[in-house]
C-alpha cells in the first residue's frame, strides 16, 4: 500500500475488517516484511539486511498494529521464505524458530494461525529437501505448511512429516497441537 508503515497498517486494517465483515478469512503476508528484498523469492533466496530497530519500525510495525486490533480469528499470518539476519542469520523466516516462535508468538503475542510461504519457491526448494522443509516449518512454529504446485513435492513433504510423526514423540505432540489449533480456529467461525 505504501512505504510508510502507518499507512500500510491503516489500509491493511481496513482490508482485514472488510474481509471479516464478508465472512472471509485473509492472510497477512509476508512476515516479518519483504518490501526491501532485491531478489524475487520465487526464484532465489534473499536477505533483508537491517537491524532489529529498523525492522520493527519499518517492516514489522504493520503486522504488530494489526495484531493489536484483530485477535487472529479473522486473519492469519504467512511467514516469508526470506532470511532476516538481525533475527536469524542461518535460516529463512518460514523455518526459523527465532522468527516464528520467539518473535511472532512470544514477543508480539500472535495467537492465530501461522502459514509458511510456498516451499516450492526457489528461496527454499533450491536449498532444502522437501522431506525436511515441512518438519522444519512445523518445529519452527508454522501451523500449516504450503506446497502449492507439484504433487510430487507435496508427497515428499507429507512423507517427511509422516516419518517424523511416527519416529519422534515430541514432534507427534507438536503436530497434534497444531491440528487442534487449526480445528479450534475453524470451529470458532
Amino acid at each position: 500500500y505504501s512505504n510508510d508503515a502507518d499507512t500500510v497498517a491503516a489500509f491493511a486494517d481496513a482490508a482485514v475488517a472488510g474481509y471479516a465483515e464478508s465472512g472471509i478469512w485473509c492472510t497477512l503476508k509476508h512476515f516479518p516484511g519483504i518490501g526491501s528484498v532485491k531478489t524475487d523469492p520465487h526464484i532465489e533466496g534473499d536477505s533483508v539486511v537491517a537491524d532489529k530497530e529498523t525492522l520493527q519500525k519499518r517492516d514489522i510495525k504493520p503486522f504488530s498494529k494489526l495484531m493489536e486490533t484483530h485477535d487472529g480469528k479473522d486473519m492469519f499470518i504467512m511467514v516469508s521464505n526470506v532470511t532476516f539476519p538481525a533475527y536469524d542469520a542461518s535460516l529463512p523466516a518460514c523455518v526459523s524458530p527465532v522468527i516464528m516462535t520467539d518473535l511472532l508468538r512470544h514477543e508480539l503475542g500472535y495467537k492465530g494461525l501461522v502459514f509458511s510461504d510456498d516451499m516450492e519457491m526457489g528461496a527454499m526448494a533450491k536449498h532444502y529437501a522437501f522431506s525436511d522443509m515441512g518438519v522444519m516449518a512445523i518445529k519452527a512454529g508454522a501451523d500449516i505448511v504450503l506446497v502449492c504446485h507439484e504433487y510430487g513435492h507435496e508427497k515428499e513433504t507429507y512423507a517427511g512429516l509422516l516419518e517424523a510423526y511416527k519416529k519422534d514423540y515430541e514432534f507427534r505432540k507438536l503436530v497434534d497441537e497444531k491440528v487442534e489449533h487449526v480445528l479450534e480456529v475453524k470451529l470458532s467461525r
Side-chain angles (χ1 to χ4, degrees):
Y1 297 115
S2 170
N3 289 331
D4 176 69
D6 290 319
T7 302
V8 171
F11 276 88
D13 183 58
V16 171
Y19 282 117
E21 186 178 310
S22 298
I24 299 170
W25 282 317
C26 65
T27 303
L28 305 179
K29 59 182 198 173
H30 297 86
F31 185 84
I34 61 169
S36 62
V37 296
K38 305 286 188 251
T39 305
D40 181 351
H42 291 90
I43 299 165
E44 186 54 72
D46 202 348
S47 292
V48 174
V49 181
D51 60 37
K52 287 182 180 180
E53 183 179 342
T54 300
L55 289 170
Q56 290 283 343
K57 288 179 184 174
R58 182 188 69 198
D59 298 85
I60 297 170
K61 187 176 184 179
F63 292 98
S64 61
K65 285 188 123 192
L66 268 75
M67 285 181 239
E68 291 172 9
T69 57
H70 299 275
D71 64 6
K73 291 185 179 166
D74 53 359
M75 66 172 202
F76 309 137
I77 292 182
M78 178 186 289
V79 180
S80 88
N81 48 26
V82 171
T83 303
F84 295 81
Y87 284 98
D88 188 337
S90 61
L91 293 170
C94 65
V95 291
S96 169
V98 174
I99 291 176
M100 282 205 270
T101 299
D102 298 345
L103 175 60
L104 183 57
R105 293 278 190 210
H106 296 152
E107 187 177 325
L108 298 175
Y110 179 67
K111 304 241 186 293
L113 294 181
V114 175
F115 288 69
S116 76
D117 204 341
D118 181 8
M119 296 297 184
E120 286 184 306
M121 293 169 66
M124 294 301 293
K126 288 183 177 180
H127 305 282
Y128 302 94
F130 286 98
S131 58
D132 296 331
M133 287 190 276
V135 175
M136 293 169 70
I138 295 294
K139 284 183 175 180
D143 295 298
I144 296 175
V145 179
L146 298 179
V147 182
C148 300
H149 302 285
E150 300 290 330
Y151 184 57
H153 296 154
E154 294 164 1
K155 285 173 47 176
E156 287 177 57
T157 305
Y158 172 76
L161 287 163
L162 184 60
E163 181 180 347
Y165 187 86
K166 288 178 177 179
K167 290 183 176 181
D168 181 342
Y169 175 73
E170 291 302 316
F171 185 72
R172 182 170 39 250
K173 281 180 27 183
L174 182 60
V175 168
D176 291 346
E177 289 170 11
K178 304 282 183 186
V179 169
E180 286 180 21
H181 188 205
V182 170
L183 291 172
E184 286 171 1
V185 171
K186 285 182 174 186
L187 293 172
S188 72
R189 276 308 260 278

